Amino acid sequence: MAPDAPRAAPVKARTSRIKDSTSYKVFTVVNMTVLVLMCAVMLYPFVMLLAQSFSSAGAINAGKVSIFPVDFNIETYKAVADNGAFWRSYGNTVVYTVIGTTIAMVLTTTYAFVLSKKHLRGRGLLIGIAVFTMFFNGGIVPNYVLISSLGMKNTMWAVILPPALSVFNLLVMKAFFENLPTELEEAAHIDGLTWFGIFFRIVLPLSKAVIATMVLFYSVQYWNDWFAAFLYLDKTDLFPVTLFLRNLIAGASTAASEGAAASGASVSDINANIQSVTMILILIPILCVYPFVQRYFVSGIMLGSVKG
């Protein structure tokens, strides 16, 4: 029997890491520095507003507040929070935003799905009607007459229905639907699905990214809107929080003055930082919602990057 052949020495696995070049290291440092500076520039106004909302009137008027509160003061927050009208207006805004966003998404998704079908008869006319409203409108007075004649004045529908369909959002969603694979719809037709089944069981589940984006757009629109309520609402019980705070800034709300007196703060003390408090109170809900929607933005960007 032949002797065993000598065994080869085990080869040690070498893990070598590619060293970054000097130019790449410089690029990384510069890139991170620029991004940090951009974040600081974007965050500075918000931090300054937050600091002003907790500062005294004298410090704000003297220009002493930058990113930290000076002479810590919460009298303005008390003046707003102690007023029941403020919380009623806040509740109205939540109702307007939830109902308005729901109606807007129903109209936008269904209309965009119809317009995305190139075989639809009259498709060009429907697109033309939608685009026409982007450039031409009746104006404030005709809109006011229309809302009044429809019986929607002093109702929540005067705030919810007029902006319920954004043509820009409609066109964006239409373009997204057009990029979906047509093979999926053809397979669904073969399996016996109707257009409603295709829309609800195939198109909408594949459109989470654009739907989340549009929900945020419509929510911000309804949340920040005060002009429609200013035109069509006379009852203070129906005011959204943005209109309530706008009247507080302008000194035109009796309820706001009563709230200031109840908290022991003078009107001059409140007016010094009321704008900062107003912006902070309006931004908080949107800032709380955005982190939950951001991941869909990333998904939408990645989806668009791999499509031809």
Side-chain angles (χ1 to χ4, degrees):
M1 184 174 181
D4 296 337
R7 296 181 180 180
V11 179
K12 295 183 179 180
R14 296 181 180 180
T15 56
S16 59
R17 181 177 178 273
I18 300 177
K19 295 183 179 180
D20 296 333
S21 62
T22 304
S23 59
Y24 181 77
K25 293 180 180 179
V26 173
F27 169 78
T28 303
V29 172
V30 173
N31 192 25
M32 293 182 62
T33 303
V34 172
L35 290 177
V36 169
L37 291 176
M38 289 179 63
C39 291
V41 170
M42 289 185 289
L43 288 175
Y44 176 75
F46 176 76
V47 175
M48 184 179 66
L49 286 174
L50 186 62
Q52 287 184 352
S53 67
F54 288 106
S55 300
S56 65
I60 297 174
N61 293 329
K64 297 180 180 179
V65 182
S66 56
I67 60 175
F68 298 104
V70 178
D71 299 333
F72 190 80
N73 169 45
I74 58 173
E75 294 301 324
T76 305
Y77 283 101
K78 290 181 179 180
V80 177
D82 291 345
N83 196 332
F86 167 77
W87 296 110
R88 183 170 58 250
S89 300
Y90 220 99
N92 291 338
T93 299
V94 173
V95 172
Y96 298 160
T97 301
V98 172
I99 297 178
T101 302
T102 303
I103 294 175
M105 289 305 301
V106 171
L107 295 176
T108 304
T109 52
T110 52
Y111 198 2
F113 180 68
V114 170
L115 295 181
S116 65
K117 304 307 168 189
K118 298 181 180 180
H119 61 271
L120 177 69
R121 293 183 181 180
R123 175 175 177 265
L125 178 62
L126 293 176
I127 295 176
I129 293 174
V131 174
F132 181 83
T133 60
M134 293 183 64
F135 303 100
F136 304 97
N137 61 78
I140 295 178
V141 174
N143 286 334
Y144 181 85
V145 174
L146 176 63
I147 295 298
S148 301
S149 62
L150 292 176
M152 293 193 299
K153 185 179 178 183
N154 284 323
T155 65
M156 68 175 184
W157 304 115
V159 179
I160 293 175
L161 292 183
L165 182 61
S166 170
V167 179
F168 175 79
N169 295 342
L170 173 69
L171 297 178
V172 171
M173 187 165 287
K174 165 185 164 293
F176 185 89
F177 287 162
E178 288 177 342
N179 288 329
L180 293 177
T182 57
E183 292 79 8
L184 293 176
E185 294 183 3
E186 294 173 357
H189 277 300
I190 295 174
D191 290 339
L193 279 181
T194 63
W195 283 111
F196 289 101
I198 293 173
F199 178 70
F200 287 108
R201 299 179 62 179
I202 295 178
V203 175
L204 292 185
L206 292 176
S207 307
K208 291 181 180 179
V210 68
I211 289 176
T213 304
M214 296 307 162
V215 166
L216 182 64
F217 286 170
Y218 279 119
S219 299
V220 172
Q221 171 186 314
Y222 279 106
W223 187 269
N224 292 332
D225 186 26
W226 64 270
F227 190 67
F230 179 75
L231 286 179
Y232 306 127
L233 301 182
D234 296 329
K235 299 178 181 179
T236 56
D237 293 343
L238 298 175
F239 281 1
V241 68
T242 47
L243 181 58
F244 175 85
L245 294 174
R246 179 261 175 194
N247 291 339
L248 188 62
I249 295 174
S253 175
T254 304
S257 299
E258 293 176 355
S263 64
S266 64
V267 177
S268 60
D269 290 338
I270 293 176
N271 288 339
N273 61 347
I274 187 62
Q275 293 183 4
S276 302
V277 173
T278 300
M279 295 179 185
I280 293 299
L281 291 176
I282 292 176
L283 284 173
I284 287 176
I286 301 300
L287 292 177
C288 294
V289 172
Y290 181 79
F292 298 98
V293 185
Q294 182 189 15
R295 64 191 184 98
Y296 291 105
F297 292 165
V298 177
S299 300
I301 293 174
M302 295 301 295
L303 181 64
S305 64
V306 298
K307 284 189 175 183

